[in-house]
Structures are given as C-alpha cells and as structure tokens.
Amino acid sequence: MSTRSSIPLCEPEISGSERTYLAEAVGRNELAMGGFIPRFERMVADYVGTRHAVAVSSGTAALHLSLLAAGVGPGDEVIVPALTFIATANAVRYCGATPVIVDVEPYHWCMDPRQAERALRPGVKAIIPVHLLGHPFDYGPMPVPPGATIEDATEALGASWCDQKVGALGNMACLSFNGNKLITTGGGGMMLTDSDELATRVRYLANQAKDDPHEFVHKETGYNYRMSNLAAAVGCAQMEDVEDKLASKRRIAERYAAGLAGVPGITLPREAPWARSAWWLYTIRVSEREYGMGSRELMRRLEAEGIQSRPLWTPLHRQPSLRGCPAYGGEVAERIHAEALSLPSSVGLSEEDQERVIAVIRYSAR
Ligand SMILES: *Cc1c(COP(=O)(O)O)cnc(C)c1O
C-alpha cells in the first residue's frame, strides 16, 4: 500500500474568518438574508473596480441573468468560444437563444477576435468571451455586438488586461464561487457592472421578479437565484486574503515553469505581455510524438502516483447537446483539447507535493 497521500487538482483553501462569520450569521438567525450579502458584494465590486455587484447562486445563474438583462431571447444568437466549460453555452440556451461557436487562438486558448468578427452575423445580440484558466482574453480587438459584451470571468478573478482588472472590461461580467475556483462560497456567483439599470434588472430577476413585496405581484417570470447569507459569510472571509491566494497561484505557476522547462514535448503556458493571469489551473500541452506518450496516458501515469490531473473540456462544437449550432473554425480548440492537461493547482499545494508532480512528468519523458 502506498504511504503517499494523494494530490488533488484544485481544492478550496480556508482563509481564517469563515467559522467566525458563519457563527455570527447563525447567531443572529440570519441564514437566508442578512448583512453579509451586501458586504460581500461591496468587497468584490471594490476589488474589481465596478460600481455594482449582484450576488447570485452560481456563475451559471450570473451568466443567465446577464444575458436576459442584455435582452437576449428566443431567436437571438450569442457568440461563445469553442473551448470553455458547457455552462457558458447552457446559459445561452436557457434564454431560448442559439450559441454561435467561435474557435480560440493558439496562444492563450481564448476566443479568437478575428473569428468572432466573422461570426458577427445579423442575429447576434451578445458575445461572451471567456478568460480561460485564469488568463485574460484580448479585450482590445474583440468585436462589439449590438447588445452586450459579457465577460465570463468565472475562472479569472484577480487577472488583468492592460492593467485593468478583468470583470470591469465589458458591459457585464460573471464570477463563480464554485468549490474549485480561486475563492469559494461552496457554490455561488456574481454579476458585475457599472450600469445602474443592468444591476437593478439582474437583482430583480434573481428575486423572482417581485413587483410588490406585500401582495406578491409579478409582472414577469423571475428566478430564485439569490445567494444565501451563509454563503456570503464564507465569501467575505475568502475575499479577505484574495491577494495571498493569487500570489500562491503565481508561485505555483513559476515553480512548474522552472521544474518543467526543457522537457521535450511539453509546452508550458505563457502570460501575454499585456496580461496578468490569475493562474487558476496550470495547464500544459503534451506532444505525443516528442514526449513519448499523449496527455491521456500521462494523466493515467500521474493517477497511478496518486496525482489528479484533468484534460480540458470537449470543445462546444463537438458537444452532443449543442449539435447543429453554427460554428466558425474549431480546429485550434480540437488540437488544444487533444494535448492539454491541467496539473494540481490548489492554493495550498505544498512545494514537496509539487516537486512530486514535476518529477513524474520529467521522468516519464521518452
Ligand atoms: C465555473 C465556470 C462557470 C460556471 O460557474 P458555476 O458557479 O459552476 O455555475 C462558467 N463558465 C466557466 C468557464 C467556468 O469555469
């Protein structure tokens, strides 16, 4: 039996005040609603630099309500990148709209602005570029749709594009506080915007579109997408050391870059000169021909050593649930999908554990 402990892909890190704040919320009997919600919203809005933040139950809910606030409905089209988690496209489908799938660029694997330009057809109302794996997409050349640019910043809290924090670039941005993200509430999300109107609209829709608080009159169909005060209490604690968490992620990336440099067939991720990555999941490319085994075989080798790694998501134009959606290119996303492997990237990853990961990858090379 192995005496070595296993190394997970990406675990949450307790900041310190979680128990205190949770006890405070419980002590006041404020479980669903309470003061931690506006406090958490203010912390995140001030950190990113937007006027408003609306806490919701998940990143997916934030995307859904952002699209509705942008006026996206049945018959509309929304541009999404080929390489992302399915949630980006699912939010479009919830509105009865059609995702238009656009290939990614080969450097940082985010939506290719030139392909997005081509995809800007008459039916397109909004665009959701994704800051993938913590690295910002190139906002400058991204085409502007008639409706809204919604940043999917669910993986990139703390990243910057040209010294501007991601989440403050487009008309709206969405964050996720799922368990594997930089900060977590055990499940949650947030919509960020400078627009009073969009913030009010999203808050209204997240609260069942309640028009009269006493008589419960509803002029339209809303959603139960609120964040609980308990979740927000955890969020406040997590936000207190967001900078330390980011610094840990950066240190992990630097150690991988040093430890894996020069391994034949392994391509390391790089930060663009205009970017500051949040380094959410450190993801390498494995060339089967040069390395001697492919990304999936390396994943199994790591697994045999108790090390968790993971390929990227199947590209959206290959998803059975999205069959028939228009697509522009997709070959770049497919190549990256075949070769990419995300390595253990928990904020709390120890140097010894990381050295073990690096050693297995180094010594498995042909
Ligand atoms: C995590 C994630 C989401 C969804 O966030 P949830 O909080 O899990 O709903 C959306 N898009 C991308 C790219 C993500 O990584």
Side-chain angles (χ1 to χ4, degrees):
M1 211 178 87
S2 172
T3 53
R4 290 178 151 180
S5 59
S6 59
I7 305 176
L9 185 73
C10 198
E11 273 193 326
E13 170 89 351
I14 297 303
S15 295
S17 305
E18 283 86 349
R19 286 174 189 82
T20 314
Y21 293 169
L22 279 170
E24 218 173 283
V26 171
R28 289 201 197 121
N29 204 13
E30 292 178 347
L31 309 190
M33 305 218 252
F36 282 110
I37 299 166
R39 179 163 150 193
F40 184 39
E41 289 175 338
R42 193 41 36 218
M43 280 177 97
V44 178
D46 288 348
Y47 177 72
V48 174
T50 58
R51 291 189 52 226
H52 303 284
V54 182
V56 292
S57 53
S58 71
T60 310
L63 287 164
H64 182 191
L65 295 187
S66 297
L67 286 163
L68 291 176
V72 171
D76 291 331
E77 294 185 334
V78 177
I79 298 177
V80 299
L83 205 53
T84 180
F85 180 46
I86 192 75
T88 316
N90 279 351
V92 176
R93 298 291 283 246
Y94 299 165
C95 300
T98 302
V100 176
I101 302 162
V102 159
D103 208 353
V104 297
E105 37 77 17
Y107 311 105
H108 311 291
W109 316 347
C110 295
M111 184 187 284
D112 184 338
R114 278 167 315 174
Q115 294 275 22
E117 191 75 56
R118 282 181 60 216
L120 207 57
R121 353 189 298 170
V124 168
K125 196 145 205 181
I127 182 170
I128 316 180
V130 179
H131 301 292
L132 204 77
L133 301 165
H135 193 289
F137 62 80
D138 195 2
Y139 178 69
M142 215 43 94
V144 178
T149 297
I150 300 166
E151 294 171 66
D152 184 333
T154 51
E155 303 179 355
L157 177 64
S160 311
W161 174 85
C162 295
D163 292 328
Q164 261 181 285
K165 283 251 167 62
V166 311
L169 303 170
N171 305 95
M172 286 173 269
C174 299
L175 299 174
S176 166
F177 308 120
N178 184 33
N180 61 0
K181 301 287 161 76
L182 182 73
I183 74 163
T184 184
T185 58
M190 210 172 261
M191 188 284 273
L192 304 173
T193 187
D194 280 336
S195 156
D196 298 349
E197 197 184 321
L198 292 170
T200 304
R201 179 82 185 139
V202 166
R203 206 176 283 289
Y204 171 74
L205 291 172
N207 284 280
Q208 300 280 31
K210 203 185 290 168
D211 290 297
D212 185 303
H214 306 296
E215 299 296 336
F216 289 90
V217 176
H218 308 265
K219 291 191 202 118
E220 55 185 304
T221 306
Y223 300 83
N224 178 10
Y225 277 172
R226 283 180 304 106
M227 176 180 279
S228 75
N229 194 51
L230 288 180
V234 175
C236 287
Q238 290 268 298
M239 265 312 278
E240 284 175 357
D241 74 343
V242 67
E243 289 296 352
D244 289 343
K245 289 189 201 310
L246 280 167
S248 301
K249 290 282 197 187
R250 179 163 291 273
R251 208 157 42 239
I252 290 166
E254 283 164 0
R255 285 204 296 252
Y256 274 132
L260 295 173
V263 180
I266 299 290
T267 307
L268 305 176
R270 290 215 336 246
E271 215 170 26
W274 41 263
R276 196 162 170 85
S277 178
W279 293 108
W280 175 53
L281 287 181
Y282 192 88
T283 306
I284 58 173
R285 278 178 78 161
V286 184
S287 156
E288 181 162 7
R289 199 167 44 81
E290 291 171 59
Y291 181 71
M293 69 174 83
S295 57
R296 305 315 193 260
E297 200 183 339
L298 177 56
M299 176 175 74
R300 287 189 291 273
R301 278 287 337 260
L302 288 163
E303 199 181 342
E305 301 287 335
I307 298 165
Q308 191 187 7
S309 64
R310 192 175 83 178
L312 292 183
W313 318 273
T314 294
L316 295 189
H317 61 288
R318 295 284 171 213
Q319 294 288 357
S321 72
L322 298 175
R323 193 169 297 131
C325 291
Y328 290 78
E331 300 76 21
V332 180
E334 281 172 35
R335 232 178 314 125
I336 294 163
H337 174 245
E339 293 192 346
L341 195 66
S342 298
L343 303 179
S345 303
S346 304
V347 165
L349 179 66
S350 72
E351 201 165 343
E352 295 111 277
D353 279 355
Q354 195 175 356
E355 287 308 323
R356 261 178 64 199
V357 180
I358 290 167
V360 174
I361 297 171
R362 283 204 84 88
Y363 297 119
S364 302
R366 178 167 63 191

